């Protein structure tokens, strides 16, 4: 291209903003507003992805600076390997979310705010684009805030439903606490260096204590956006409350902006300390294990998916921490593998989590409930949605031939390589991390077999599920395309490694072999992919053989044996809670479930009740006590607010006199 | 194929002997309990009898129930290609194949779980939940064992871990720095001194 790549990308950004204004002008006409949004996202993707690919494959980077009247900040954009990777990720995943949203919102009927909500959708995508491109601290923070506000307004779309407002407010508070940490980080750094531009920050690495403070602030700020424990508590509240296309975009793309920020700060902080790797690995391990255990305990399908996002972000954080450890131990091969695995897992998670939220949202909308215990048998009534969810479940469980396996495989191979080549404590740490990743992988499989089995298989457990119908084509097409993309990425993984390689190499310290031989046709990654393809071929062969054998034999059908009951009902099937029961009994020793029982009493017992729930341990142990303490403090100060003007004037007088006395005596 | 035809023959032989293992397990349990138990070759007779039958499906099931066992068997067959059988090298062997092995077993497990939940029966659900629970808890054990053996041996493929002596002196208590090259005849893998991602002395960073 003769023009620089940035021009096209900024043109894409302009398309999104223009589309936002157009959607706003569409007012209440939902069809037009959503079509504008889809066209704008498509244009942005078409304009933005080829230049980003060119930057990735050619290794060139692009920077530009535009004069701006804002004090302390410059309007500087840049595109390097890391930014290009996340840019492609954001733009490509916005399109299916927008298309899905068109079909999803058609069920919501007319509303005054339709145009505004689609405008906000495009503002959200545009702000994520600017976050990825920004090369100045102030611009980054402005785009970050725009992202938080736009997503908050999208989450609170169904504000008339109970609980949505409080969930959205929790999200707003959490987003702003994270932004406060980031503002503190940039402020601290900027005063050290004298400028907020990323080039200046990267050129002057801070001293030991300052680096620790910056790292911890970055972890707090970006970690809360990404959903790392224990500051993940907004995620399981906000993602179910939002409309499904917004959930898909938030869970698939927006939380990865936290990972992007963490990676960018790591690149700018200079040589990492060893303890940072341990901290990241610890936080990641806590998120992974805690997230998937909580996911197993949820009845709400979207809450379960949200907790599984916490788990996956924890896996990425573990891989990044292990990569930092490998880098500081001087193991460039392992560091490259681990960071490549982390970046690939980010990509994969975006794909399959969007798919899962889209399919789960379609199932919830069709059956009229988000409760797993009221769904069932949806595969028979919604075959494409069910098939898409099955593809998503296979992908997230890292099963061949889908894409989840590639990221996990790279991370695990990186851990094994670091284990073999490391010295001292490192092999033991990496072996423990490997075992933890294996446990988490097994739990993810159990969790998604549970969701898929209870929601889509068996018999319908409620009238809503029994009357569900397949969703519209606007919702089906993105799901099917994303499922196909999951399979395609899984089967073409060695060819996609160059997309991830520049970011991984930069994070791993720049050293290390180019390409690792994994992109080669006979490399181990190609073998993994071929094994996946082999499974598909073998399955087809076995099914064909079976069909040929059964053609000439009697095939009968009958009802499932009711285990001796004369009149079995659909509610006698396995429930979601009982499926997770054995696992939670083992895992949840620290997360005590809350059981409420009312036993049947008397000779002719009437009325018994039982309910169990597992509140989030971060809520129960950390945030609820803090909030209660703040409430106590506030109610202790309540008597001061009695409304008497004379007393308020007296307060002002007392404070003024006190300040004067203090001024005189010091 | 990496192990040559001997490797493939070993895989076929191990598949053919698998029902015998089930017979041995049953006979041992019965003898310990004081019974006579089923004959050793009973499972072969059962398979032969079932192979001549038609099919009976539940009206609650979908294509998942029909496809589940085939997918499971296909995944297990692929996994069998990775496992070394005695002195024979497996047909599929590369660095990191132990991870693929674990995930192929997981795929077969998912297929069986889905097929079980498809019937809509409570017993199947209980069985599925126990299967999911025990397998999830067994995965870290598998990885710890194989990881520790890989560390001892200094290689990252199952063939190198489980065969007595790879090319050159065996590991023993310290990891051996010799990396056995992977041979796969259908693709021209370069026969260099080894992989960039198996053992490497920390001082040399060359691939």
């Amino acid at each position: 291209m003769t023009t620089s790549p940035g021009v096209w990308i900024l043109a894409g950004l302009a398309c999104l903003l223009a589309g936002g204004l157009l959607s706003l002008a569409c007012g209440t006409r939902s069809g037009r507003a959503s079509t504008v949004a889809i066209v704008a996202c498509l244009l942005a993707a078409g304009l933005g992805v080829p230049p980003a690919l060119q930057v990735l494959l050619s290794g060139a980077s692009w920077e530009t600076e535009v004069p701006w009247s804002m004090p302390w900040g410059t309007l500087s954009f840049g595109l390097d390997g890391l930014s290009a990777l996340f840019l492609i990720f954001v733009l490509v995943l916005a399109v299916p979310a927008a298309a899905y949203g068109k079909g999803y919102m058609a069920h919501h009927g007319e509303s005054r705010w339709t145009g505004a909500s689609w405008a906000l959708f495009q503002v959200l995508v545009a702000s994520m684009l600017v976050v990825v491109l920004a090369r100045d601290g102030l611009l980054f923070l402005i785009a970050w805030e725009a992202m938080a506000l736009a997503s908050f307004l999208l989450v609170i779309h169904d504000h008339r439903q109970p609980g949505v407002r409080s969930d959205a407010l929790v999200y707003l508070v959490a987003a702003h606490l994270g932004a406060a940490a980031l503002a503190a980080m940039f402020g601290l750094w900027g005063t050290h260096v004298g400028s907020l531009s990323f080039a200046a920050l990267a050129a002057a690495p801070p001293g030991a204590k300052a680096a620790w403070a910056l790292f911890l602030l970055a972890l707090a700020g970006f970690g809360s956006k990404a959903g790392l424990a224990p500051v993940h508590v907004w995620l399981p509240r906000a993602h179910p409350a939002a409309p499904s296309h917004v959930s898909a975009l938030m869970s698939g793309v927006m939380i990865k902006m936290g990972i992007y920020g963490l990676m960018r700060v790591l690149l700018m902080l200079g040589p990492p300390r060893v303890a940072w790797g341990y901290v990241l690995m610890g936080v990641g391990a806590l998120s992974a294990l805690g997230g998937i255990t909580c996911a197993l305990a949820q009845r709400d399908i979207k809450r379960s998916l949200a907790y599984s996002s916490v788990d996956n972000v924890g896996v990425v954080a573990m891989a990044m921490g292990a990569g930092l450890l490998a880098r500081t131990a001087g193991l460039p091969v392992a560091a490259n593998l681990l960071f490549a695995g982390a970046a690939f897992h980010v990509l994969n998670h975006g794909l399959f989590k969007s798919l899962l939220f889209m399919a789960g949202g379609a199932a919830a909308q069709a059956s009229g409930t988000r409760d797993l215990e009221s769904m069932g048998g949806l595969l028979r009534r919604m075959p494409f949605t069910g098939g898409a969810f099955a593809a998503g479940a296979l992908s997230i469980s890292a099963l061949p031939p889908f894409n989840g396996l590639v990221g996990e495989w790279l991370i695990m191979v990186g851990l094994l390589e670091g284990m073999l080549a490391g010295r001292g404590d490192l092999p033991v740490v990496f072996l423990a991390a490997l075992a933890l990743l294996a446990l988490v992988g097994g739990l993810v499989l159990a969790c998604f077999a549970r969701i898929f089995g209870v929601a889509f298989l068996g018999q319908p457990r409620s009238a809503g599920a029994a009357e569900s119908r397949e969703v519209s084509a606007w919702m089906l097409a993105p799901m099917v395309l994303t499922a196909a993309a999951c399979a395609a990425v899984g089967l073409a993984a060695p060819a996609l490694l160059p997309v991830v390689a520049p970011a991984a190499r930069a994070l791993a310290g720049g050293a290390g072999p180019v390409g690792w031989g994994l992109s080669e046709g006979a490399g181990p990654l190609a073998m993994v992919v071929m094994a996946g393809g082999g499974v598909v071929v073998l399955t087809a062969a076995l099914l064909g053989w079976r069909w040929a054998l059964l053609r000439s034999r009697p095939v009968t059908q009958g009802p499932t044996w009711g285990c001796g009951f004369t009149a079995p009902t659909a509610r006698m099937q396995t429930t979601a809670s009982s499926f997770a029961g054995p696992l939670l009994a083992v895992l949840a020793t620290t997360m005590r479930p809350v059981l409420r029982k009312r036993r049947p009493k008397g000779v002719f017992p009437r009325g018994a009740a039982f309910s169990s729930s597992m509140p989030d341990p971060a809520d129960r142990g950390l945030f609820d006590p803090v909030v209660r303490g703040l409430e106590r403090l506030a109610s202790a100060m309540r008597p001061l607010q009695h409304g008497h003007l004379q007393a308020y004037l007296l307060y002002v007088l007392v404070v003024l006199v006190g300040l004067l006395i203090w001024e005189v005596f010091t | 194929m990496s192990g040559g035809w001997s490797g493939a023959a070993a895989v076929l032989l191990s598949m053919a002997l698998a029902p015998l293992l089930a017979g041995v397990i049953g006979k041992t349990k019965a003898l310990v309990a004081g019974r006579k138990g089923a004959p050793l070759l009973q499972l072969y007779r059962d398979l032969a009898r079932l192979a001549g039958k038609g099919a009976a499906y539940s009206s609650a099931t979908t294509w998942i129930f029909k496809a589940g066992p085939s997918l499971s068997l296909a995944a297990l067959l692929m996994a069998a290609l990775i496992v070394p059988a005695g002195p024979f090298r497996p047909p599929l062997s590369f660095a990191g194949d132990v991870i693929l092995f674990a995930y192929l077993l997981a795929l077969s497990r998912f297929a069986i779980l889905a097929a079980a939940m498809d019937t809509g029966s409570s017993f199947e659900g209980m069985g599925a939940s126990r299967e999911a629970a025990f397998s999830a808890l067994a995965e870290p054990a598998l990885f710890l064992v194989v990881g520790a053996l890989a560390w001892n041996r200094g290689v990252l493929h199952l063939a190198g871990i489980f065969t007595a002596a790879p090319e050159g002196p065996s590991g023993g208590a310290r990891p051996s720095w010799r990396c056995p090259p992977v041979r796969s005849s259908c693709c021209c893998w370069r026969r260099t001194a080894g992989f960039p991602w198996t053992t490497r002395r920390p001082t040399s960073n060359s691939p």
Side-chain angles (χ1 to χ4, degrees):
Chain A
M1 270 180 232
T2 48
T3 47
S4 71
V7 173
W8 296 104
I9 296 175
L10 290 176
L13 179 64
C15 277
L16 280 169
L17 292 172
L21 284 173
L22 259 180
S23 290
L24 199 57
C26 284
T28 62
R29 282 184 282 265
S30 153
R32 265 187 234 187
S34 50
T35 314
V36 167
I38 297 173
V39 167
C41 290
L42 267 174
L43 271 177
L47 287 171
V49 170
L53 274 176
Q54 186 204 26
V55 162
L56 276 176
L57 296 174
S58 68
S61 63
W62 163 77
E63 300 258 340
T64 187
E65 200 169 306
V66 176
W68 199 13
S69 58
M70 189 83 73
W72 303 310
T74 55
L75 199 65
S76 47
F77 298 102
L79 195 67
D80 62 352
L82 184 64
S83 290
L85 174 69
F86 276 88
L87 188 139
I88 297 177
F89 175 67
V90 167
L91 289 177
V92 165
L93 283 174
V95 176
Y100 178 86
K102 182 176 167 78
Y104 186 83
M105 299 302 271
H107 277 260
H108 274 237
E110 293 281 309
S111 153
R112 260 191 315 156
W113 305 109
T114 308
S117 116
W118 280 109
L120 284 165
F121 185 91
Q122 289 163 88
V123 164
L124 178 60
V125 180
S127 60
M128 287 196 281
L129 195 57
V130 176
V131 161
V132 162
L133 289 175
R135 287 291 179 269
D136 177 66
L138 194 62
L139 179 63
F140 188 92
L141 283 175
I142 291 176
W144 194 263
E145 184 65 20
M147 196 172 77
L149 283 177
S151 52
F152 162 72
L153 289 169
L154 284 169
V155 164
I156 208 168
H157 183 270
D158 295 327
H159 57 93
R160 291 190 207 284
Q161 287 187 8
V164 170
R165 270 188 251 193
S166 64
D167 291 341
L169 282 174
V170 168
Y171 169 50
L172 189 66
V173 168
H176 280 101
L177 284 175
L182 291 181
M185 177 189 84
F186 278 117
L188 198 61
W189 213 342
T191 52
H192 264 258
V193 175
S195 149
L196 280 174
S197 84
F198 285 9
L201 295 179
K209 279 211 195 108
W212 261 106
L214 293 172
F215 174 73
L216 287 173
L217 281 171
L219 191 60
F222 290 123
S224 82
K225 174 62 78 181
L228 289 172
V231 284
H232 66 284
V233 288
W234 61 271
L235 228 165
R237 286 193 166 95
H239 287 201
S244 294
H245 65 296
V246 174
S247 302
L249 193 66
M250 279 172 69
S251 201
V253 184
M254 201 189 68
I255 61 181
K256 307 308 185 311
M257 295 296 109
I259 299 285
Y260 166 78
L262 209 51
M263 288 182 170
R264 178 64 61 194
V265 165
L266 281 175
L267 281 179
M268 291 195 301
L269 273 177
R273 315 291 191 269
V274 175
W276 292 356
Y278 283 112
V279 166
L280 258 181
M281 275 188 84
V283 165
L286 185 66
S287 309
L289 202 54
I292 197 61
T293 310
C294 286
L296 275 166
Q298 301 304 317
R299 279 177 72 143
D300 183 332
I301 187 173
K302 287 173 77 168
R303 232 173 119 93
S304 196
L305 290 175
Y307 270 114
S308 129
S309 290
V310 171
D311 153 59
N312 276 291
V313 166
V315 168
V316 172
M318 271 183 80
M320 282 172 63
L324 283 179
L325 283 177
R327 179 178 164 177
T328 50
L331 307 168
V333 176
N336 268 314
L337 282 169
L338 285 162
F339 279 115
F344 223 112
H345 197 76
V346 163
L347 270 180
N348 291 339
H349 183 247
L351 271 174
F352 54 64
K353 195 40 74 70
S354 307
L355 173 61
L356 284 168
F357 263 106
M358 289 195 281
Q365 194 181 60
S367 55
T369 170
R370 287 202 322 239
D371 186 11
L372 275 175
E373 316 276 20
S374 306
M375 295 190 199
L378 291 178
L379 181 64
R380 193 181 279 271
R381 305 196 59 89
M382 308 165 68
F384 290 104
T385 308
F389 197 95
L394 285 171
S395 305
I396 198 170
S397 313
L399 300 176
F402 288 94
N403 56 350
L405 177 61
V406 178
E408 295 265 357
W409 188 85
L410 281 171
I411 296 173
M412 288 185 169
V413 163
L415 285 173
L416 282 171
E417 164 66 21
M419 190 178 77
L420 288 187
R423 284 270 171 273
D425 277 340
L426 209 62
V428 178
V429 169
F430 277 12
L431 187 59
L434 188 67
L436 187 74
L437 274 181
L439 175 64
V440 166
L443 292 175
V444 168
L445 190 141
C447 178
F448 281 89
R450 164 188 185 248
I451 299 180
F452 183 59
V454 169
F456 286 92
L457 303 176
Q459 303 277 49
R461 290 177 179 80
S462 71
E467 287 156 7
S468 57
R469 281 182 308 148
E470 185 62 279
V471 290
S472 68
W474 276 110
M475 287 167 81
L476 273 183
M479 280 194 265
V480 170
L481 282 173
T482 315
C486 284
V489 168
L491 289 172
L496 290 173
L497 269 181
V499 169
V500 163
R505 206 171 310 121
L507 282 164
V514 175
W516 315 302
L518 287 177
S519 300
E520 292 185 25
L525 192 55
M527 295 288 193
V528 169
V529 162
M530 276 201 296
V535 168
V536 173
V537 167
L538 265 178
T539 311
L542 282 170
L543 283 172
W545 185 29
R546 209 167 141 283
W547 173 77
L549 281 178
L550 283 177
R551 247 188 328 176
S552 52
R553 297 185 194 177
V555 173
T556 55
Q557 273 221 342
T560 306
W561 180 57
C563 301
F565 287 115
T566 46
T569 69
R571 290 192 59 87
M572 288 179 189
Q573 295 173 96
T574 313
T575 60
S577 325
S578 56
F579 191 99
L583 267 173
L584 289 177
V586 170
L587 291 171
T589 45
T590 51
M591 299 196 269
R592 299 174 305 276
V594 172
L595 303 173
R596 278 180 218 96
K597 297 183 238 198
R598 199 172 71 225
R599 292 175 191 279
K601 287 202 191 72
V603 178
F604 296 104
R606 270 175 305 172
F610 176 86
S611 79
S612 71
S613 67
M614 179 141 359
D616 197 324
D619 266 335
R620 199 167 39 184
L622 189 60
F623 289 102
D624 277 349
V626 167
V627 168
R628 273 200 298 270
L630 283 174
E631 276 178 356
R632 267 202 297 268
L633 194 64
S635 49
M637 300 211 303
R638 190 78 179 80
L640 288 174
Q641 276 185 313
H642 38 64
H644 293 137
L645 192 57
Q646 296 89 337
Y648 289 171
L649 287 172
L650 186 62
Y651 295 159
V652 173
L653 181 65
V654 163
V655 169
L656 273 177
V657 167
L659 281 175
L660 283 171
I661 295 175
W662 184 58
E663 193 54 36
V664 163
F665 278 110
T666 59
Chain B
M1 307 244 262
S2 168
W5 294 109
S6 59
V11 168
L12 285 173
L13 186 65
S14 53
M15 278 164 46
L17 286 178
L20 182 61
L21 179 63
V24 167
I25 293 174
K27 194 78 163 168
T28 313
K29 279 196 208 169
L31 286 176
V32 164
R35 301 180 276 119
K36 251 183 116 171
L40 276 174
L41 304 178
Q42 182 57 39
L43 201 52
Y44 289 105
R45 291 198 197 100
D46 286 342
L47 284 171
R49 180 171 47 93
L50 289 170
K53 289 200 164 202
Y57 295 123
S58 156
S59 47
T61 59
T62 62
W63 56 269
I64 298 243
F65 187 77
K66 298 182 173 80
S70 303
L71 177 59
S72 170
L73 183 60
L76 289 172
L77 286 176
M78 285 305 297
L81 292 180
I82 304 179
V83 180
F88 302 109
R89 289 187 64 104
L92 195 62
S93 176
F94 54 92
D97 59 10
V98 52
I99 300 163
L100 178 66
F101 176 74
Y103 278 111
L104 281 169
L105 293 184
L107 176 62
S108 107
R109 202 160 62 228
F110 190 95
I112 296 293
L113 288 178
M117 300 289 284
D118 201 21
T119 58
S121 153
S122 44
F123 271 163
E124 259 87 353
M126 278 199 288
S129 109
R130 285 167 67 86
E131 165 91 27
F134 286 123
S135 314
L137 297 173
E139 290 251 340
L142 171 72
F143 271 88
L144 274 174
V145 167
V146 176
L149 283 174
W151 188 12
N152 191 342
R153 286 278 172 208
V155 294
L156 282 178
H157 49 294
L158 275 176
I161 292 170
F162 287 113
T163 49
E167 291 68 28
S170 77
R174 283 169 305 145
S176 91
W177 297 108
R178 195 76 61 92
C179 329
V182 153
R183 280 170 250 141
S184 60
S185 63
C186 30
C187 323
C188 42
W189 180 243
R190 48 190 179 144
R191 283 177 173 260
T192 55
F195 285 136
W197 49 80
T198 49
T199 59
R200 218 23 80 182
R201 289 187 180 278
T203 49
S204 87
N205 289 331
S206 59

